[in-house]
């Protein structure tokens, strides 16, 4: 190899930054060789500069096999156009680890037709590993995650977003977020730009109708957060398909409606009292039996309608199901005889107190 082509202080300074300097040569017949590599290749990769030889095609022997063709293609294109070579490739160190190198080399043509590049590679392995880890986490996330620029639209979307919306990889970039949901931009503004984007996407969580690439729609819950960096506005959107949740909510609502109708249509009186002895729920049949309106029953003490002395203790569930017959005086002063059937139950699994259910038959 030739003597050091760069000033020694520069070589030392860049070595501290994990930056490798090199001189590459391609002769008139297209043969590629490396005249000089900075000494810090040994502490970084375990090879001495002399051990980094080139293959018959002209690629460094430590260059990852999957990157060799692209790297050589870039080098030859740089030589043909005499433009800087933009280089990004993987290099396998002596201990088998993979390192990512990014760099640039500027060519010049000598009188004999030889092309010589002076260039530098920076070891960006830590940055690439962090990016790979981030991308892996984002692509395995169940939720959709997007970043939206206030001027250029969608900047990035994870794999879950592309799967959910049926889009090819990278095809969402540059789209207006409005194109993914059934919502129009404000009048007079065909797309979102600048700070006015906030009028379309307020911070917080809301439900919208989203539309896939094939035109089908689905309920979509999204949370929009605003991020402003160096005066530049961006939005972070996290969303999910809530079709199953909406279906479950619909089934629960239908079940609750059936229970409500059953409760109201029951031909016998029904009362639910809490552990303090106050009525929490009552049905129309009981209102008719006692001659009072619902407002006068719900929330009132149970003792206003029944002789609680014949009932089991409201806080005692040991008796289980019970049955009683009682004499009562209703609102118009008439005497009636009621049969009470009841039991204790918990209104919720985590409720420490029991409630009392009473079925009342005249």
């Amino acid at each position: 190899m030739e003597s050091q082509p760069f000033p020694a202080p520069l070589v030392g300074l860049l070595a501290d930054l994990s930056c490798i300097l090199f001189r590459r040569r391609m002769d008139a017949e297209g043969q590629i060789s490396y005249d000089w590599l900075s000494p810090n290749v040994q502490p970084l990769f375990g090879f001495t500069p002399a051990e980094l030889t080139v293959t018959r095609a002209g690629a460094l022997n430590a260059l990852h096999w999957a990157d060799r063709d692209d790297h050589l293609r870039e080098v030859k294109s740089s030589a043909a156009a005499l433009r800087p070579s933009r280089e990004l490739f993987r290099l396998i160190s002596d201990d088998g680890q993979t390192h990512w190198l990014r760099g640039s080399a500027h060519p010049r043509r000598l009188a004999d037709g030889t092309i010589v590049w002076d260039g530098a590679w920076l070891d960006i392995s830590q940055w690439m590993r962090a990016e790979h880890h981030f991308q892996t986490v984002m692509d395995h996330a169940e939720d959709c995650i997007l970043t939206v620029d206030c001027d250029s639209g969608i900047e990035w979307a994870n794999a879950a977003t592309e799967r959910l919306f049926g889009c090819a990889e990278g095809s969402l970039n540059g789209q207006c977020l409005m194109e993914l949901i059934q919502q129009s931009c404000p009048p007079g503004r065909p797309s979102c730009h600048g700070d006015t984007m906030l009028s379309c996407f307020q911070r917080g969580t809301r439900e919208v109708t989203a539309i896939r690439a094939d035109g089908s729609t689905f309920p979509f819950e999204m949370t929009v957060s605003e991020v402003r960096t160096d005066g530049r506005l961006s939005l972070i959107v996290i969303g999910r398909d809530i079709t199953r949740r909406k279906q479950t909510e619909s089934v629960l609502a239908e079940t609750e409606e059936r229970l409500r109708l059953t409760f109201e249509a029951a031909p016998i009186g029904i009362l639910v009292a809490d552990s303090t002895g106050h009525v929490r729920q009552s049905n129309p049949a009981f209102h008719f039996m006692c001659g009072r309106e619902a407002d006068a029953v719900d929330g009132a003490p149970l003792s206003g309608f029944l002789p609680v002395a014949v009932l089991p203790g409201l806080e005692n569930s040991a008796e289980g199901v019970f049955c009683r017959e009682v004499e009562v005086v209703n609102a118009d002063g008439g005497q009636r005889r009621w049969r009470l059937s009841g039991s204790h139950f918990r209104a919720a699994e985590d409720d420490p107190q029991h409630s009392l259910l009473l079925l009342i038959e005249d």
Side-chain angles (χ1 to χ4, degrees):
M1 287 190 178
E2 69 177 36
S3 61
Q4 181 171 302
F6 297 92
L10 177 63
V11 174
L13 176 64
L14 294 180
D16 292 340
L17 301 175
S18 300
C19 186
I20 300 99
L21 298 176
F22 65 91
R23 173 164 285 176
R24 182 169 56 218
R25 180 183 300 269
M26 185 170 71
D27 64 23
E29 296 180 357
Q31 291 294 320
I32 298 175
S33 61
Y34 285 81
D35 293 342
W36 181 84
L37 290 161
S38 56
N40 62 324
V41 296
Q42 185 167 10
L44 285 175
F45 309 122
F47 300 108
T48 65
E51 290 174 326
L52 282 174
T53 60
V54 296
T55 65
R56 181 177 301 177
L60 284 170
N61 59 345
L63 197 75
H64 194 290
W65 64 268
D67 297 336
R68 290 179 181 178
D69 289 344
D70 288 341
H71 180 254
L72 289 174
R73 191 178 300 112
E74 173 64 16
V75 169
K76 292 176 181 179
S77 177
S78 169
L82 283 181
R83 61 165 179 79
S85 174
R86 306 300 180 189
E87 307 185 13
L88 176 65
F89 57 87
R90 287 165 291 179
L91 187 142
I92 307 301
S93 63
D94 185 48
D95 59 2
Q97 293 190 44
T98 300
H99 295 260
W100 281 93
L101 299 182
R102 184 195 300 277
S104 176
H106 289 247
R108 66 183 187 277
R109 189 186 302 273
L110 304 182
D112 62 356
T114 299
I115 307 295
V116 175
W117 288 264
D118 289 324
W121 297 319
L122 180 65
D123 188 348
I124 59 169
S125 302
Q126 290 186 348
W127 181 82
M128 292 296 290
R129 291 188 188 109
E131 183 181 42
H132 175 73
H133 178 72
F134 168 80
Q135 190 67 43
T136 300
V137 171
M138 292 298 100
D139 284 344
H140 285 79
E142 292 290 335
D143 286 346
C144 299
I145 305 174
L146 306 94
T147 60
V148 184
D149 180 73
C150 62
D151 291 315
S152 58
I154 297 173
E155 285 187 311
W156 178 86
N158 69 341
T161 305
E162 294 169 342
R163 288 194 302 267
L164 180 60
F165 285 88
C167 300
E169 183 178 354
S171 63
L172 291 174
N173 294 350
Q175 289 191 36
C176 176
L177 187 58
M178 289 295 194
E179 297 175 14
L180 301 184
I181 63 176
Q182 289 189 331
Q183 179 174 327
S184 300
C185 290
R189 183 152 49 88
S191 60
C192 301
H193 294 287
D195 291 348
T196 51
M197 176 185 286
L198 290 181
S199 64
C200 298
F201 297 101
Q202 307 261 327
R203 287 175 291 181
T205 301
R206 60 178 172 145
E207 295 180 10
V208 297
T209 300
I211 182 167
R212 297 186 179 89
D214 62 6
S216 60
T217 60
F218 60 96
F220 187 67
E221 181 185 76
M222 65 180 190
T223 301
V224 179
S225 302
E226 176 187 347
V227 178
R228 192 179 292 273
T229 305
D230 297 330
R232 180 170 172 265
L233 176 66
S234 298
L235 297 178
I236 307 297
V237 180
I238 301 177
R240 61 201 59 84
D241 183 352
I242 55 173
T243 300
R244 289 187 179 179
R245 191 179 82 189
K246 300 298 284 187
Q247 291 173 343
T248 301
E249 290 175 354
S250 178
V251 171
L252 287 174
E254 183 179 349
T255 301
E256 290 177 358
E257 180 65 10
R258 287 177 179 174
L259 290 174
R260 185 187 65 81
L261 293 175
T262 301
F263 185 77
E264 293 183 354
I268 61 175
I270 303 176
L271 287 179
V272 176
D274 61 20
S275 60
T276 67
H278 288 79
V279 177
R280 292 307 176 202
Q281 289 176 285
S282 59
N283 71 337
F286 182 76
H287 305 154
F288 176 78
M289 292 170 64
C290 69
R292 301 185 188 184
E293 298 294 332
D295 293 344
V297 177
D298 293 344
L302 193 62
S303 58
F305 313 99
L306 297 170
V308 294
V310 302
L311 300 176
L314 292 172
E315 298 183 357
N316 177 24
S317 61
E319 188 170 341
V321 178
F322 60 89
C323 186
R324 303 281 192 276
E325 289 190 5
V326 297
E327 296 283 348
V328 298
V329 178
N330 59 18
D332 61 6
Q335 289 191 334
R336 313 296 295 179
R337 189 170 186 83
W338 291 349
R339 178 184 290 118
L340 311 179
S341 300
S343 65
H344 291 86
F345 73 100
R346 292 189 186 276
E349 291 184 1
D350 58 350
D351 192 344
Q353 302 294 334
H354 284 82
S355 296
L356 180 65
L357 172 66
L358 290 173
L359 305 181
I360 305 170
E361 188 178 3
D362 191 339

